[in-house]
Amino acid sequence: ILNVEQSPQSLHVQEGDSTNFTCSFPSSNFYALHWYRWETAKSPEALFVMTLNGDEKKKGRISATLNTKEGYSYLYIKGSQPEDSATYLCALSGSQGNLIFGKGTKLSVKP
Amino acid sequence: DTGVSQNPRHKITKRGQNVTFRCDPISEHNRLYWYRQTLGQGPEFLTYFQNEAQLEKSRLLSDRFSAERPKGSFSTLEIQRTEQGDSAMYLCASSLRRTKNTGELFFGEGSRLTVL
């Protein structure tokens, strides 16, 4: 059974601050690790999919890394903006393609 | 808009009533998933279809829940005899089956259920 833990549960930062969240998992028995951003009243939006140990992905000010040997992934946001406010979800792909999600990290960026 | 569409977006019902949600996936996607999200939790997997076949159901899906995808296109999720604990956001997602299951899921905006 895949178990996904995310920390912190919530985070409040000032505009311009850089921040990072952690996703941890006890086993590397999965196909891929996904990061999603979920803004209020919108649909969850895929940010990154990573499969290999050492993978690094970047999209604008947001980047992510994957360490399957030690069982964690980091999501970094450089120079946070108010529009980055959202819940960031980490998920692992199971054998049937379904995703097992963590509880998410809720980010609030104050102007 | 060719994204995943869900309706209704909001449903308020009285305990004991039946409710049905509909999901229209991205047209070329052959996999369709239902998730439930409650306060403070991440989305929890309920069930998924590949074309019209329901291939997996979570233990969270009690016998009051039923999902169908009759022609391999849209899907419905019905909850019979609703209970207050059924209050949640019901999310639908679709994807294209790949050789390795690394593909992203495309989500709808969800249907929020409130059971009074």
Side-chain angles (χ1 to χ4, degrees):
Chain A
I1 296 176
L2 299 173
N3 188 33
V4 182
E5 298 287 339
Q6 289 190 248
S7 62
Q9 186 174 353
S10 63
L11 196 55
H12 299 264
V13 302
Q14 290 294 133
E15 181 176 356
D17 288 349
S18 293
T19 187
N20 66 84
F21 324 132
T22 303
C23 174
S24 60
F25 41 89
S27 166
S28 61
N29 187 23
F30 58 88
Y31 286 102
L33 183 140
H34 304 244
W35 281 100
Y36 279 79
R37 175 170 59 200
W38 193 2
E39 295 180 63
T40 302
K42 295 187 178 180
S43 56
E45 173 194 3
L47 290 173
F48 305 113
V49 180
M50 295 179 287
T51 57
L52 300 175
N53 183 48
D55 264 355
E56 293 187 19
K57 296 286 179 78
K58 186 175 182 182
K59 186 184 293 186
R61 295 179 291 99
I62 305 176
S63 60
T65 60
L66 175 62
N67 185 324
T68 59
K69 292 183 179 179
E70 296 186 25
Y72 66 82
S73 173
Y74 290 147
L75 185 78
Y76 301 91
I77 302 179
K78 183 179 179 182
S80 302
Q81 299 296 308
E83 58 264 31
D84 295 330
S85 297
T87 296
Y88 290 82
L89 295 165
C90 174
L92 302 180
S93 296
S95 59
Q96 299 297 324
N98 57 305
L99 298 182
I100 309 299
F101 284 91
K103 294 182 180 181
T105 293
K106 185 172 183 178
L107 174 67
S108 297
V109 182
K110 293 183 179 179
Chain B
D1 182 22
T2 57
V4 178
S5 175
Q6 292 188 246
N7 64 80
R9 294 289 309 281
H10 303 274
K11 178 72 176 179
I12 299 173
T13 190
K14 293 182 178 179
R15 188 176 53 187
Q17 298 296 305
N18 299 342
V19 296
T20 299
F21 301 115
R22 175 176 169 131
C23 172
D24 288 88
I26 293 172
S27 59
E28 63 267 27
H29 284 182
N30 53 5
R31 283 191 168 179
L32 185 148
Y33 303 81
W34 285 99
Y35 285 82
R36 179 177 70 186
Q37 191 254 347
T38 54
L39 192 64
Q41 302 294 320
E44 297 170 302
F45 170 74
L46 292 178
T47 188
Y48 95 97
F49 294 82
Q50 183 160 307
N51 300 313
E52 66 276 9
Q54 189 173 16
L55 296 186
E56 187 174 349
K57 293 194 292 186
S58 163
R59 60 181 172 80
L60 294 175
L61 212 66
S62 76
D63 56 6
R64 296 185 297 105
F65 288 69
S66 61
E68 295 183 344
R69 195 183 183 196
K71 297 182 180 179
S73 56
F74 73 92
S75 175
T76 57
L77 177 69
E78 181 182 15
I79 309 174
Q80 296 182 326
R81 306 181 304 281
T82 52
E83 301 173 356
Q84 288 184 325
D86 297 331
S87 296
M89 174 74 83
Y90 290 86
L91 289 165
C92 176
S94 68
S95 73
L96 196 59
R97 182 179 181 274
R98 299 175 188 275
T99 303
K100 290 186 179 179
N101 294 309
T102 60
E104 67 183 88
L105 300 190
F106 294 80
F107 283 87
E109 293 181 332
S111 294
R112 181 168 293 284
L113 173 65
T114 301
V115 182
L116 301 176

